[in-house]
Amino acid sequence: MKLLEMTHVGKNFDDTEVLRDISFSIDEGEVVSIIGPSGSGKSTFLRCATMLENMDKGSMSYMGESACVEEDGKSVYASKEKLRDMHKYFGLVFQNFNLFPHYSVMKNITDSLVSVDKVSKEEAKERAAALLSQLGLSDKADAYPCQLSGGQQQRVSIARALAKQPKILFFDEPTSALDPELTVEVLKVIKQLAKSHMTMIIVTHEMQFAKEVSDRIIFMEDGIIKGEGTPDELFETDNSRIRDFLGKLSGN
């Protein structure tokens, strides 16, 4: 069974077609990186997959459960209650951390577990403490986001997403707000997750990282998937547009 399956996805913002007939699926334990120029639709695709945006066309299912189906050329979503239940299948890490500044690190991780997922306070704290230890942040549980480096803040946001025990973890350019030294710190964490067979979908501009960590890489441009394959297949492609894109990013 596919963990996530999206078929013939379309998304418009006013008169602008942002996603055009995209079909995508991912298997358990697979790591997929999505690359492409700015404005290609990568982040919109992620927002549709995580239900932060509604698709206009197409269907989507998690773990075989239908989130939306296409009827008469339009996406029709399941009930709010069913969609809310389906949120437990995935976690999302944003590029700008999205931590609550007035919450401690511990409360940032545990708050939605208790209030939304109805996990007991004790279990929520146990999950958070274990993840903070795993990510080298045990001494920061009582700190506030303003007291942390950008890399530490992003590790907290990863811990918050993992605390929900999701089947899939989404990353939307997780290092774009970080300087090179902190970028290395966060990418190391994601590589460790890949080794533990965490299913991940990563929008990234870090080409070498994508090459190292991915089972599959997707190249998006103009709202469509223009190339897809293993890292070796994509980096050695005959597609001139993809070669040009990769060459510019590597400085060649």
Side-chain angles (χ1 to χ4, degrees), residues 45 49 53 74 82 109 116 120 125 163 184 192 206 231:
F45 171 74
E53 297 280 357
K74 293 185 177 180
K82 184 175 181 181
I109 297 171
V116 178
S120 71
K125 286 186 175 181
V184 171
Q192 289 170 344
E206 301 285 342

Side-chain angles (χ1 to χ4, degrees), residues 89-135:
Y89 292 135
F90 60 82
L92 175 59
V93 178
F94 299 89
Q95 55 183 295
N96 292 317
F97 323 136
N98 283 27
L99 299 176
F100 293 107
H102 56 294
Y103 284 1
S104 69
V105 164
M106 178 62 74
K107 188 169 174 61
N108 261 289
I109 297 171
T110 60
D111 187 64
S112 69
L113 289 179
V114 175
S115 60
V116 178
D117 298 344
K118 307 306 178 187
V119 174
S120 71
K121 288 183 179 180
E122 293 74 18
E123 183 180 344
K125 286 186 175 181
E126 284 178 10
R127 288 189 196 179
L131 285 164
L132 288 174
S133 175
Q134 179 185 333
L135 298 176

